[in-house]
């Protein structure tokens, strides 16, 4: 009985950890309240004109929908992982396949995020693109946000 409870707790913790890692990856680039976040940078530092603001708003609306769908897929994959861990109670083929599913879902979320970054970049003029590119590089290579 104790082993079963411990295994279930481990499964839940692993699922939560995988979800957390996906959320951190997305937030690292896009958290609007995070100082230095990419969206904040674009809105506050790049001096967009009205047309650019309008295009950016439409991009963000579409991305919000896609992002919500991708995050839901990550949560489903995490639930599948928890079920596989609960079913196998070891690192077996079901757990391995479920981990691959989590990675695939997280990869699709990251791809959608990168596509959105390029879509944002496409509405900028050359000077804004240079500043944007530098901010993206800092976001990807700098220390984690606090």
């Amino acid at each position: 009985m104790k082993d079963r409870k411990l295994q279930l707790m481990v499964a839940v913790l692993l699922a939560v950890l995988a979800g957390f890692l996906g959320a951190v990856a997305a937030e690292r680039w896009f958290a609007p309240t995070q100082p230095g976040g990419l969206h904040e940078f674009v809105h506050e530092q790049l001096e967009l004109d009205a047309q650019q603001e309008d295009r950016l708003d439409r991009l963000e609306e579409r991305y919000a929908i896609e992002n919500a769908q991708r995050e839901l897929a990550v949560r489903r994959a995490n639930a599948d992982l928890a079920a596989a861990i609960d079913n196998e109670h070891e690192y077996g083929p079901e757990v391995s396949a479920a981990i691959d599913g989590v990675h695939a879902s997280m990869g699709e979320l990251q791809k959608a995020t990168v596509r959105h970054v390029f879509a944002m970049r496409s509405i900028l003029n050359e000077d804004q693109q240079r500043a944007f590119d530098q901010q993206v590089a800092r976001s990807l290579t700098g220390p984690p946000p606090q």
Side-chain angles (χ1 to χ4, degrees), residues 14-48:
L14 286 173
V16 168
L17 177 62
F20 173 75
L21 291 174
V24 167
E27 185 172 335
R28 175 148 181 158
W29 278 2
F30 289 114
T33 58
Q34 170 188 320
L38 192 56
H39 277 161
E40 180 181 298
F41 174 82
V42 170
H43 284 284
E44 303 296 325
Q45 302 294 320
L46 293 185
E47 298 179 15
L48 303 176

Side-chain angles (χ1 to χ4, degrees), residues 121 124-135:
R121 185 183 191 280
L124 305 174
N125 66 39
E126 288 183 25
D127 289 337
Q128 291 168 329
Q129 286 178 346
R130 275 191 288 281
F132 180 85
D133 294 345
Q134 290 172 353
Q135 182 66 22

Side-chain angles (χ1 to χ4, degrees), residues 55-66 116:
R55 289 178 66 193
L56 184 60
D57 288 345
R58 286 181 290 173
L59 283 174
E60 289 175 345
E61 288 171 7
R62 285 192 301 269
Y63 176 71
I65 293 167
E66 182 177 10
H116 179 62

Side-chain angles (χ1 to χ4, degrees), residues 23-133:
V24 167
E27 185 172 335
R28 175 148 181 158
W29 278 2
F30 289 114
T33 58
Q34 170 188 320
L38 192 56
H39 277 161
E40 180 181 298
F41 174 82
V42 170
H43 284 284
E44 303 296 325
Q45 302 294 320
L46 293 185
E47 298 179 15
L48 303 176
D49 63 31
Q51 183 182 14
Q52 288 174 312
E53 286 283 0
D54 184 56
R55 289 178 66 193
L56 184 60
D57 288 345
R58 286 181 290 173
L59 283 174
E60 289 175 345
E61 288 171 7
R62 285 192 301 269
Y63 176 71
I65 293 167
E66 182 177 10
N67 189 57
Q69 292 169 336
R70 298 286 179 201
E71 286 179 355
L72 181 59
V74 170
R75 286 194 298 275
R76 280 193 302 259
N78 283 331
D80 291 344
L81 175 58
I85 290 170
D86 187 46
N87 188 43
E88 282 189 312
H89 303 292
E90 65 180 2
Y91 192 90
E94 283 183 54
V95 170
S96 180
I99 290 171
D100 290 343
V102 169
H103 291 170
S105 295
M106 290 173 66
E108 290 304 315
L109 175 61
Q110 188 172 30
K111 289 175 187 177
T113 302
V114 170
R115 283 191 300 269
H116 179 62
V117 167
F118 283 119
M120 289 170 53
R121 185 183 191 280
S122 73
I123 70 169
L124 305 174
N125 66 39
E126 288 183 25
D127 289 337
Q128 291 168 329
Q129 286 178 346
R130 275 191 288 281
F132 180 85
D133 294 345

